[in-house]
Amino acid sequence: MAKSTPSSAPSSRHTARVVPLRKGTTLEMVRLACPDATQMTLISESFGLPILDSDGIRDQHERLIVETADGLKEGLGERAMQIHLQRIVGAYVGSAHGAGQFYSRAVTEARDVTAKAANDMRDEDRDGPVGFDSGAQRKREFAADMGLQAHALRMAAEGAVGAYELVVGEAWKPFERQVENSGHSVDRKAAELQMAALG
């Protein structure tokens, strides 16, 4: 068995400090969470909801952002405009993603309650008196309403992202900020005080 001997030569490698970044919400995340136009049409037809003009919503929001930027161009430099639009578009994308996540939870709840309602032995899941919807039906209708909202906000976000590219000349990317690690320094100070108390 060979013994390994530690190297006495100093390491020439420097350890790089890795700064973790808080990832922003992307348009792709919105598209995964929110219904697309085809799915929304199916939901609307199945639940008697209005069929949204998806292209119209997207185009209207694209025009809105472009016109806003046009009105500000005299007062904002190129970099200031980019930062301003970055924030506005980020708000649209974040709002749509939040709606998509809420829609996903509503669908899960509706699916669970509907599965439970299929068991006729459960009195609490049976249909209510005539004129009242069952709990499962209300959950399905709520999920459909949330789908409509999520889709509308997705289209608004897509329009805002398109406008950003038209005005700024490059694809929109979410802002990524450094994760604050203030808890580590507090933990270290607390550990030092505790060790000092122990003697």
Side-chain angles (χ1 to χ4, degrees), residues 10 97 135-136 166 188 199:
H97 186 248
L166 285 173
R188 188 177 309 123

Side-chain angles (χ1 to χ4, degrees), residues 52-127:
L52 299 179
D53 178 10
S54 303
D55 293 338
I57 293 170
R58 185 183 59 240
D59 294 346
Q60 182 182 24
H61 283 82
E62 185 175 291
R63 280 193 311 275
L64 175 72
I65 302 293
V66 168
E67 288 172 9
T68 299
D70 194 46
L72 290 170
K73 69 182 178 186
E74 295 297 321
L76 296 181
E78 188 176 309
R79 181 67 180 141
M81 179 70 77
Q82 182 179 9
I83 292 169
H84 175 66
L85 292 180
Q86 165 70 31
R87 291 173 177 155
I88 290 175
V89 175
Y92 273 98
V93 172
S95 177
H97 186 248
Q101 289 179 314
F102 194 80
Y103 163 69
S104 296
R105 285 192 296 273
V107 169
T108 299
E109 287 179 19
R111 192 174 286 130
D112 291 347
V113 172
T114 300
K116 288 177 185 174
N119 181 353
D120 290 335
M121 298 303 288
R122 294 177 55 93
D123 291 336
E124 67 269 21
D125 290 331
R126 289 187 182 165
D127 289 344

Side-chain angles (χ1 to χ4, degrees), residues 19-39:
V19 178
L21 297 176
R22 180 173 292 150
K23 297 290 184 182
T25 304
T26 65
L27 186 59
E28 188 55 37
M29 292 164 69
V30 170
R31 288 176 174 153
L32 291 171
C34 300
D36 62 12
T38 303
Q39 184 183 6

